[in-house]
Amino acid sequence: MKNPTRNREATRLKLINAVGQVLAEKGFTHLGVNAVARQAGVDKVLIYRYFGGMPGLIKAFGQEGDFWPSMEELAGGNIDAYRVLPLEEKLKIMGRNYLKGIRKRPLTQEIMAWEMVERNNLTEELEIIRETRMLRFAELFLQVGEETVDVMAVVGLMGAGLSYLICRSRRIRWYNGIDLENQEGWKRLENGIDLVVEGVARLMQARD
């Protein structure tokens, strides 16, 4: 006899994964109850039973799927070791891992590009998840409010710049002489992250 709880969880995961599969294969305009249920191979009524409808399923996709880099990923895999590092090192590691994390998620890139031109339940829900996760990361590890420089403004500028370049690289090769189709170009950008952070660190020291 099958375990009802295990069977329910397996079906939930099928539906969550099906959201990403539909988005990747058919695009955003095809994302709906019928398409997701068909992709998962289950009755669409289960979307309402387990998630209350598409908004709930989209929320689960953002929270439980591999949509956004986790705290562990941003911290380099070891939260405890990351927690005790100087702020300068934390910012460098976070910036580099954010760059790598978004680059290896083509579906996330697609959603980020899409939300620039269209607002809907999917983009709004995933925006909330992204913002909440990044703010939580900052609260836990970046001593927000204790520094003499607006660290969140610096993080915001770095994140926005990196996000733009990653999304741009899907269609356009060059930016400011940097080859976005070559690993050497991305290495230059990683070094650029370090330069920005080191400059901020010097400014903080000068203000102390």
Side-chain angles (χ1 to χ4, degrees):
M1 183 176 178
K2 292 184 177 180
N3 185 320
T5 302
R6 184 177 300 172
N7 193 47
R8 174 191 173 101
E9 185 58 28
T11 302
R12 284 186 78 262
L13 290 175
K14 276 186 180 180
L15 287 165
I16 291 170
N17 291 334
V19 171
Q21 291 163 0
V22 171
L23 287 172
E25 295 172 11
K26 300 178 181 178
F28 304 101
T29 58
H30 290 83
L31 186 66
V33 170
N34 292 329
V36 171
R38 187 163 50 248
Q39 182 73 39
V42 302
D43 194 310
K44 66 181 180 181
V45 71
L46 295 178
I47 294 177
Y48 297 96
R49 181 179 301 170
Y50 296 157
F51 302 98
M54 279 302 295
L57 177 54
I58 288 170
K59 183 175 183 179
F61 168 71
Q63 292 179 335
E64 301 176 37
D66 191 34
F67 163 67
W68 198 255
S70 66
M71 288 192 182
E72 290 79 5
E73 190 175 348
L74 291 173
N78 188 329
I79 289 289
D80 292 333
Y82 184 81
R83 193 187 305 274
V84 298
L85 290 173
L87 179 60
E88 179 179 347
E89 289 304 309
K90 288 179 180 177
L91 290 173
K92 287 181 180 180
I93 291 170
M94 183 191 70
R96 286 170 172 263
N97 287 330
Y98 175 83
L99 175 62
K100 293 173 183 175
I102 301 301
R103 282 192 71 205
K104 72 180 186 181
R105 289 173 168 85
L107 181 56
T108 298
Q109 297 170 31
E110 189 75 19
I111 293 171
M112 291 171 72
W114 188 42
E115 70 181 4
M116 299 292 288
V117 295
E118 182 176 343
R119 300 287 291 165
N120 54 44
N121 289 340
L122 173 64
T123 59
E124 289 175 5
E125 189 59 52
L126 295 181
E127 177 187 351
I128 291 169
I129 292 167
R130 180 179 66 238
E131 285 294 302
T132 301
R133 190 171 295 182
M134 293 304 291
L135 287 173
R136 181 62 177 155
F137 185 90
E139 290 171 0
L140 287 174
F141 304 116
L142 302 184
Q143 296 93 43
V144 175
E146 300 176 13
E147 67 287 333
T148 55
V149 169
D150 190 346
V151 169
M152 290 305 291
V154 174
V155 171
L157 286 170
M158 286 200 306
L162 294 173
S163 297
Y164 171 76
L165 290 171
I166 292 168
C167 291
R168 182 185 175 93
S169 71
R170 296 162 62 246
R171 299 283 186 272
I172 303 172
R173 178 172 182 173
W174 297 95
Y175 187 85
N176 205 38
I178 298 173
D179 188 349
L180 301 178
E181 290 184 3
N182 189 298
Q183 188 56 38
E184 184 59 33
W186 293 103
K187 182 65 177 177
R188 289 178 64 188
L189 291 172
E190 288 186 12
N191 292 336
I193 292 170
D194 291 351
L195 290 173
V196 170
V197 171
E198 288 165 7
V200 171
R202 287 194 294 271
L203 180 60
M204 293 174 68
Q205 292 170 0
R207 291 185 176 182
D208 284 342

